[in-house]
Amino acid sequence: MSSDDERDEKELDLSSPEVVTKYKSAAEIVNKALQVVLVECKPKAKIVDICEKGDAFIKEQTASMYKNAKKKIERGVAFPTSVSVNNVVGHFSPLASDETVLEEGDMLKIDMGCHIDGFIALVAHTHVLQEGPITGRKADVIAAANTAAEVALRLVRPGKKNNAVTEAIQKVAEAYDCKIVEGVLSHQMKQKVIDGNKVVLSVSNPETRVDDVEFEENEVYAIDIVASTGDGKPKLLDEKQTTIYRKDESVNYQLKMKASRFIISEIKENFPHMPFTARSLEEKRARLGLVECVNHGHLQPYPVLYEKPGDFVAQIKFTVLLMPNGSDRITSHALQELQTTKTIEDPEIKGWLALGIKKKKGGGKKKKAKKAGEKGEASTEAEPMEATSDAQA
């Protein structure tokens, strides 16, 4: 690697203030987009309309940024808005013809992302369509995902290992008599890379293995926690429901069908790095061409998976910057009030939740974090403890 390459590489991480600004600007937009989407989530609202409003807001907000930059700066949707209900695990972002609507009492997972110049901020949030506090197993599963996210925030830090995070989040879910959903990965992110090589597994089992890695300063992670009241082993029920894909830049197979070649050139032009929804493509040609593109590995699908009917699935995803002065959670949203049937008694989990997330002289932040943890479980379960204030700062 030449010294020029090394310098370019160095400039693209959090040691560059400009890079930090782009991450935080993307986060500010996606946090606002989440609020816009939540306002639209009402009984009888069509899910496709909600998804389109989320994406449109991100496009509109990013379009006005860096308009006069000397070189063209890509910006916009980093992950299409999806709204997945009850036992649907995720990635539900239907085509325009889909008539699925929300109903009173539905538990929604809203998942979305924004990028500026390829620097990505992702967020996912769980909301129940009802007035008043969330109770029973719905409250338990949201608390399981949220408390696991809070623990992960405190363990994803320089010098710590990924496998320690995997074990901790499973332990938290068990405390609420819930399961962490298998197959969900938390990835390191880099410029134009939504799924970097450093990975945190949600559930470790013999079939799924990742390399043991250590977190380092100036890295960025999207921590994705999905919990279920079911067995945490979701199934693909209908491949036709898959609408979100990402171009695999390493595949060069020559496609046979004209429709496939047309679609792949459209994708290379408009979505070279980020996941996109089939709604963004010309629908008739897309239907014909997508199958061949997926079969030969050009496109990586994000399938719509299901737990069993009657199960509830909750998701919390946030983006964290591992800054020299501590962890900076840049995406989040406050939860509804939760009245869980379980409380955290385990001293190890309480110890994790009491850890500070910022490095402060004299340990001021640590004291404060401990206090929040001691206030009783509600502070841990019902809302991100210190993380929310950090995200808004």
Side-chain angles (χ1 to χ4, degrees):
M1 192 188 269
S2 72
S3 59
D4 277 357
D5 287 343
E6 279 173 19
R7 190 161 60 244
D8 284 350
E9 185 70 26
K10 193 167 189 305
E11 282 167 3
L12 296 183
D13 73 12
L14 300 176
S15 57
S16 158
E18 189 188 352
V19 167
V20 175
T21 298
K22 285 173 180 172
Y23 274 117
K24 289 193 170 181
S25 300
E28 195 178 329
I29 290 168
V30 83
N31 285 333
K32 282 183 188 161
L34 176 54
Q35 289 173 347
V36 166
V37 166
L38 278 167
V39 168
E40 298 296 326
C41 290
K42 296 170 186 150
K44 303 303 175 193
K46 270 169 73 173
I47 290 180
V48 64
D49 294 346
I50 297 167
C51 293
E52 287 185 334
K53 278 181 179 153
D55 291 350
F57 181 85
I58 290 172
K59 285 176 192 161
E60 181 191 301
Q61 294 288 307
T62 52
S64 62
M65 302 183 78
Y66 295 98
K67 274 201 295 200
N68 304 319
K70 284 178 187 165
K71 70 177 177 80
K72 189 187 168 207
I73 287 185
E74 285 179 35
R75 57 212 188 274
V77 174
F79 194 86
T81 305
S82 58
V83 179
S84 308
V85 173
N86 298 330
N87 63 318
V88 185
V89 173
H91 308 148
F92 191 79
S93 188
L95 297 174
S97 52
D98 190 275
E99 296 292 328
T100 311
V101 297
L102 300 179
E103 301 292 354
E104 181 73 29
D106 278 349
M107 177 183 280
L108 327 172
K109 279 80 62 190
I110 300 161
D111 192 358
M112 58 202 315
C114 171
H115 79 97
I116 293 169
D117 197 18
F119 297 105
I120 302 162
L122 303 177
V123 71
H125 174 71
T126 299
H127 179 81
V128 180
L129 274 192
Q130 69 171 66
E131 295 294 321
I134 315 305
T135 59
R137 295 298 282 151
K138 286 182 181 176
D140 287 346
V141 75
I142 296 173
N146 186 62
T147 308
E150 289 296 327
V151 166
L153 174 65
R154 287 152 173 81
L155 296 182
V156 176
R157 54 171 65 198
K160 295 273 188 189
K161 294 266 176 64
N162 57 347
N163 52 12
V165 180
T166 304
E167 288 165 20
I169 61 178
Q170 285 181 254
K171 187 167 189 176
V172 170
E174 283 163 17
Y176 289 99
D177 196 17
C178 293
K179 289 274 198 301
I180 294 291
V181 172
E182 290 185 6
V184 179
L185 304 175
S186 296
H187 286 275
Q188 183 188 4
M189 298 193 294
K190 297 180 178 180
Q191 188 181 28
K192 297 178 183 171
V193 179
I194 199 166
D195 54 355
N197 292 334
K198 284 190 174 183
V199 174
V200 179
L201 267 181
S202 292
V203 178
S204 51
N205 57 34
E207 298 91 69
T208 327
R209 292 193 180 280
V210 296
D211 293 338
D212 286 353
V213 292
E214 195 173 286
F215 306 112
E216 294 174 54
E217 202 170 277
N218 291 326
E219 290 180 338
V220 179
Y221 287 87
I223 303 300
D224 192 2
I225 310 286
V226 184
S228 172
T229 58
D231 64 7
K233 298 180 180 184
K235 305 275 187 292
L236 177 67
L237 298 186
D238 183 359
E239 268 181 36
K240 291 193 190 75
Q241 287 191 326
T242 302
T243 61
I244 299 176
Y245 302 90
R246 182 182 56 77
K247 173 84 183 82
D248 186 333
E249 295 168 69
S250 66
V251 173
N252 295 309
Y253 174 85
Q254 189 61 44
L255 294 161
K256 304 284 188 286
M257 284 169 58
K258 194 175 175 184
S260 308
R261 293 197 298 273
F262 174 84
I263 285 299
I264 211 71
S265 66
E266 189 185 347
I267 290 164
K268 278 180 183 169
E269 175 69 25
N270 297 314
F271 313 103
H273 310 292
M274 303 297 165
F276 62 91
T277 161
R279 278 198 313 277
S280 314
L281 306 171
E282 194 187 305
E283 202 168 313
K284 196 175 173 191
R285 275 188 173 176
R287 264 205 307 271
L288 289 168
L290 282 170
V291 175
E292 190 187 8
C293 293
V294 171
N295 287 347
H296 293 289
H298 273 280
L299 297 178
Q300 296 299 325
Y302 288 79
V304 179
L305 302 177
Y306 286 78
E307 283 280 67
K308 294 186 179 72
D311 292 341
F312 294 110
V313 179
Q315 180 186 25
I316 301 288
K317 185 194 292 182
F318 63 88
T319 303
V320 61
L321 313 182
L322 303 188
M323 302 295 288
N325 67 339
S327 301
D328 194 352
R329 174 179 176 161
I330 57 171
T331 58
S332 69
H333 195 285
L335 294 172
Q336 292 157 289
E337 186 190 335
L338 304 179
Q339 292 177 359
T340 59
T341 69
K342 316 277 178 196
T343 55
I344 294 284
E345 304 296 345
D346 188 293
E348 190 175 22
I349 297 174
K350 285 184 167 183
W352 289 327
L353 290 166
L355 293 169
I357 53 177
K358 292 283 187 189
K359 293 177 189 169
K360 282 274 176 110
K361 283 175 190 164
K365 191 76 171 188
K366 274 191 181 167
K367 248 184 210 161
K368 198 172 162 194
K370 205 167 217 171
K371 223 169 162 182
E374 285 165 356
K375 253 192 292 188
E377 264 58 49
S379 63
T380 311
E381 296 152 8
E383 59 185 31
M385 285 160 55
E386 298 243 304
T388 308
S389 55
D390 285 337
Q392 309 306 328

